[in-house]
Amino acid sequence: MTSTVGLVSLWVWILLDSGASAVSLPETTDGRFIDDCVREHNSARSSVSPPANDMLYMTWDKDLAIIAKTWAGHCKFEHNPQLKDVPSLHPNFSPIGENIWTGSPSLFDVTLAIKKWVDEKEHYNYQENKCSKVCGHYTQVVWGSTYKVGCAAHLCPGGVAGFNSMEGVVFVCNYGEAGNMNSAQPYTSGGAACSGCAGSCVDRLCPFPGDSRSPDGQPDLAAADSHYGHILIARPVGLLLTFITAFAVRSLYPDIFCYE
């Protein structure tokens, strides 16, 4: 038994020392990742209180996802300074909105990361349009005229600048149109939910004119299917390595997260 434990410990040490990582993050083209991002945003938008009469249904935008992926790759816990200053960054939106989450790899989950932003609703008073604490991430998520989102997650083995020096994940979502503009309320209330829509409602939200529930990047099931075979093999192996690694280094790498 002791010999077996020793061999496992040695294997874990070699794995860590070689810089290998058991963490596998989704690509911006992953159908399940896209679906999770869009679903969680629209869920928050459709359940606002008071209800919104003209809030737009949010769909995926691959260009916003590329921008998010590029910035997440800088491994910095700060906003992309180009979002307001470079009109050519996106063909349709300027400025671009942004929310950021960062934390240890063991804590990263799309649903939970977005929930951290949405939970700020407890600090927002719609009638007074004021925040008792930080709530700008929430108001961006539920900004009524925002109808496109693109997100990306990036692993930072050397740490996240402005956060800590341990291995971390940077998760970025970019938005078009940008929210939190002109000190306005995030959406219009009054009457029943979706009562201000020009056409039919989709989950208490208004489809953007000319847009559909299945735009260019949301979700491409054919593309997603190509990943599932890989996931069925890689994910169990990755989970096994993650459990072993987490057990071995738990005292050195505490679970922490933050968002901007």
Side-chain angles (χ1 to χ4, degrees):
M1 179 68 178
T2 302
S3 177
T4 300
V5 172
L7 287 175
V8 171
S9 300
L10 178 61
W11 178 55
V12 170
W13 180 85
I14 293 174
L15 178 66
L16 294 174
D17 188 61
S18 66
S21 175
V23 177
S24 177
L25 298 178
E27 296 295 331
T28 58
T29 55
D30 186 289
R32 289 184 182 272
F33 174 72
I34 292 171
D35 187 50
D36 288 345
C37 291
V38 173
R39 183 190 65 250
E40 292 304 317
H41 278 85
N42 282 323
S43 176
R45 293 167 72 81
S46 65
S47 60
V48 294
S49 180
N53 63 28
D54 63 350
M55 186 178 293
L56 297 176
Y57 183 90
M58 188 176 284
T59 55
W60 187 259
D61 185 275
K62 62 182 180 181
D63 291 322
L64 288 174
I66 291 172
I67 294 171
K69 181 65 174 178
T70 300
W71 181 246
H74 285 76
C75 293
K76 294 181 178 181
F77 182 51
E78 60 185 58
H79 286 293
N80 184 346
Q82 294 186 313
L83 296 184
K84 294 182 178 180
D85 302 331
V86 183
S88 61
L89 198 61
H90 191 282
N92 299 319
F93 305 115
S94 182
I96 296 170
E98 184 176 69
N99 279 342
I100 303 174
W101 178 98
T102 190
S104 60
S106 62
L107 283 185
F108 175 67
D109 178 84
V110 171
T111 298
L112 295 180
I114 295 175
K115 185 178 184 296
K116 288 296 179 181
W117 301 332
V118 175
D119 282 349
E120 291 179 0
K121 62 185 177 183
E122 297 180 5
H123 311 309
Y124 177 67
N125 184 302
Y126 179 86
Q127 285 72 24
E128 299 180 3
N129 194 28
K130 291 182 179 179
C131 303
S132 59
K133 295 181 180 179
V134 175
C135 72
H137 310 94
Y138 167 69
T139 52
Q140 170 61 89
V141 170
V142 300
W143 196 261
S145 60
T146 301
Y147 65 100
K148 288 291 186 180
V149 63
C151 305
H154 184 82
L155 181 66
C156 302
V160 179
F163 182 58
N164 62 46
S165 59
M166 297 182 292
E167 183 181 61
V169 173
V170 174
F171 175 62
V172 178
C173 285
N174 285 139
Y175 305 90
E177 302 173 352
N180 298 328
M181 304 295 289
N182 303 320
S183 301
Q185 289 175 306
Y187 60 88
T188 303
S189 65
C194 212
S195 59
C197 292
S200 60
C201 296
V202 177
D203 300 331
R204 295 163 58 92
L205 302 171
C206 307
F208 185 78
D211 204 358
S212 70
R213 295 194 65 181
S214 298
D216 50 5
Q218 176 203 332
D220 185 347
L221 297 181
D225 288 342
S226 67
H227 291 281
Y228 294 160
H230 171 73
I231 290 173
L232 289 174
I233 298 174
R235 183 162 291 177
V237 174
L239 286 174
L240 176 61
L241 293 178
T242 298
F243 290 145
I244 294 174
T245 302
F247 178 80
V249 301
R250 184 174 182 180
S251 61
L252 297 177
Y253 296 90
D255 290 336
I256 48 179
F257 67 86
C258 200
Y259 53 95
E260 180 61 57

